[in-house]
Amino acid sequence: ARRAEGIDTKKNPAQVPTTDPDSRVLPNKEGGYAPNYTPIATADVHGGFILDPDVIASTSEHIATLPAMDRIKENYGEYPDVGLADGAHATGANIQGMEERDIEFFSHIPSPKTNGPNPAQREDPTEPIEESQKEQLPVNPQTKKFDKSAFVYDEEKNVWYCPQGKTLPKSEKKSKVHADGNRTYFDVYRCDECEGCSWSADCRSEKAKRGRTVSRDEHAKRREQFAEKMSQPESKETYSRRFHAAETPFGILKQVMNLRQFLLRGLEKVTTEWFWACSALNLAKLVREIGRLRANFSKLMAEGVG
């Protein structure tokens, strides 16, 4: 399964917790690693109630997005009109799934870091970028080479252009199986003119024997459209409501109810423990809400009598 996810099992051997085989060795918020689960809560923005709790043995929270929406439909009779989620959930599959469920989706799409405007976004991508603009091109923090956003895609010709204006035609089609079991298909584009290029050392690995490649998956256009939507001020305003609604329940559960670790072991028991905690939070909130409704009702009655 790890190999199917593209993990080099020799460099990153599997770590199986002996105390709880259902869990996974995951990073702690305070630092270090330990057998952990990831609790998830889908909350109502208007009232702050938890509508759907869930627990997964993974850090890939995006795999729980669409199942949560489907459970809400099953339990409450309809999908929410709007869904807000942090950037981890803004995958192509989730954006498509939200569209198919007629849910207006808002999430964070990170922009590549550049030293000023990205010079790759030029009027004629077949022309090379000036040497003086080279330092402004986005660099991938992991590879330390030009980021994918330093290349320009031409949808009409179905080719990419590198910072030097060279063409990267489609080379092959591949696929990848993700942690949720879904498979994504993507096209690979390769440059045949890297040898002798003065910018080659900034673009590809020193050990590379072939030209630089750039890929484009089946959800790329949908993500681009989503990023354009999220760049609008009204979208940012809507998305800003997520933080309070999503983080407040976790703050109460951890700080007020002191739920900082699970007492039980096994995914089924841990899920039950999480469900009980979320139910307790909802009941406490419901009691306060009823109190507010009674106070408002008494005020209205008094005003009506007056």
Side-chain angles (χ1 to χ4, degrees), residues 10 40 42 57 97 138 142 175 182 208 247 254 268 281 300:
K10 292 183 178 180
I40 297 173
T42 305
Q142 295 179 326
S175 67
N182 290 325
E247 301 302 332
K254 292 173 68 175
E268 183 178 354
L281 183 146
L300 289 173

Side-chain angles (χ1 to χ4, degrees), residues 164-180:
Q164 286 286 62
K166 305 298 183 182
T167 304
L168 283 74
K170 180 179 174 180
S171 172
E172 57 186 319
K173 193 177 191 70
K174 292 185 176 182
S175 67
K176 180 180 178 179
V177 178
H178 301 278
D180 56 359

Side-chain angles (χ1 to χ4, degrees), residues 124-139:
D124 184 1
T126 65
E127 291 294 321
I129 295 172
E130 295 182 8
E131 187 74 29
S132 60
Q133 296 179 305
K134 180 180 176 182
E135 296 300 320
Q136 297 179 8
L137 286 169
V139 174

Side-chain angles (χ1 to χ4, degrees), residues 110-170:
S111 301
K113 294 182 179 180
T114 60
N115 298 320
N118 185 357
Q121 303 304 317
R122 54 203 189 276
E123 186 174 344
D124 184 1
T126 65
E127 291 294 321
I129 295 172
E130 295 182 8
E131 187 74 29
S132 60
Q133 296 179 305
K134 180 180 176 182
E135 296 300 320
Q136 297 179 8
L137 286 169
V139 174
N140 187 300
Q142 295 179 326
T143 64
K144 310 301 181 184
K145 305 297 180 183
F146 289 149
D147 187 70
K148 181 178 179 178
S149 55
F151 295 72
V152 178
Y153 178 68
D154 187 324
E155 184 176 7
E156 183 179 349
K157 296 182 180 179
N158 192 25
V159 297
W160 288 81
Y161 293 101
C162 78
Q164 286 286 62
K166 305 298 183 182
T167 304
L168 283 74
K170 180 179 174 180

